[in-house]
Amino acid sequence: MVDIIRTADVRGEVPRIEGTRVAVLDVYELVVDGGHDPADVADQLDLSLAAVYTALAYYYEHPDEMETVRAGREADEEALESKSLSPPGELIE
């Protein structure tokens, strides 16, 4: 059986697949937002297909929590972009 867990010392306590660093939101973004086949995502991330479907089920069963996780990720990305010394998309040499 595949479990979804949260631990303070791994990935900032976001829900993830037990025994991995793969977050539920990572799986959702690849399958739903990215349009990738669940079997391909399982193969790419070295997961069982059951783990992919468990992560997707968790996402849909906990919409408020997942929205909070998504908002936190977007805030982190914005903070990193604002600290960047170069314009977005420009490589630093």
Side-chain angles (χ1 to χ4, degrees):
M1 176 164 200
V2 178
D3 288 321
I4 302 299
I5 62 168
R6 285 177 229 77
T7 52
D9 61 334
V10 179
R11 299 215 49 190
E13 208 168 347
V14 299
R16 64 184 173 84
I17 299 168
E18 186 174 26
T20 75
R21 295 182 55 81
V22 179
V24 168
L25 187 57
D26 297 336
V27 173
Y28 176 87
E29 288 177 340
L30 287 168
V31 174
V32 177
D33 293 344
H36 298 282
D37 182 82
D40 292 338
V41 171
D43 187 52
Q44 177 184 353
L45 298 178
D46 196 27
L47 300 170
S48 67
L49 189 54
V52 170
Y53 282 116
T54 298
L56 292 171
Y58 186 94
Y59 182 93
Y60 287 112
E61 290 170 356
H62 300 88
D64 294 336
E65 178 184 9
M66 297 316 309
E67 184 55 37
T68 300
V69 170
R70 185 182 295 275
R73 180 180 285 183
E74 290 171 359
D76 290 346
E77 289 171 358
E78 288 174 11
L80 284 175
E81 285 179 14
S82 70
K83 290 181 182 180
S84 176
L85 299 176
S86 63
E90 184 174 310
L91 295 176
I92 300 174
E93 294 182 32

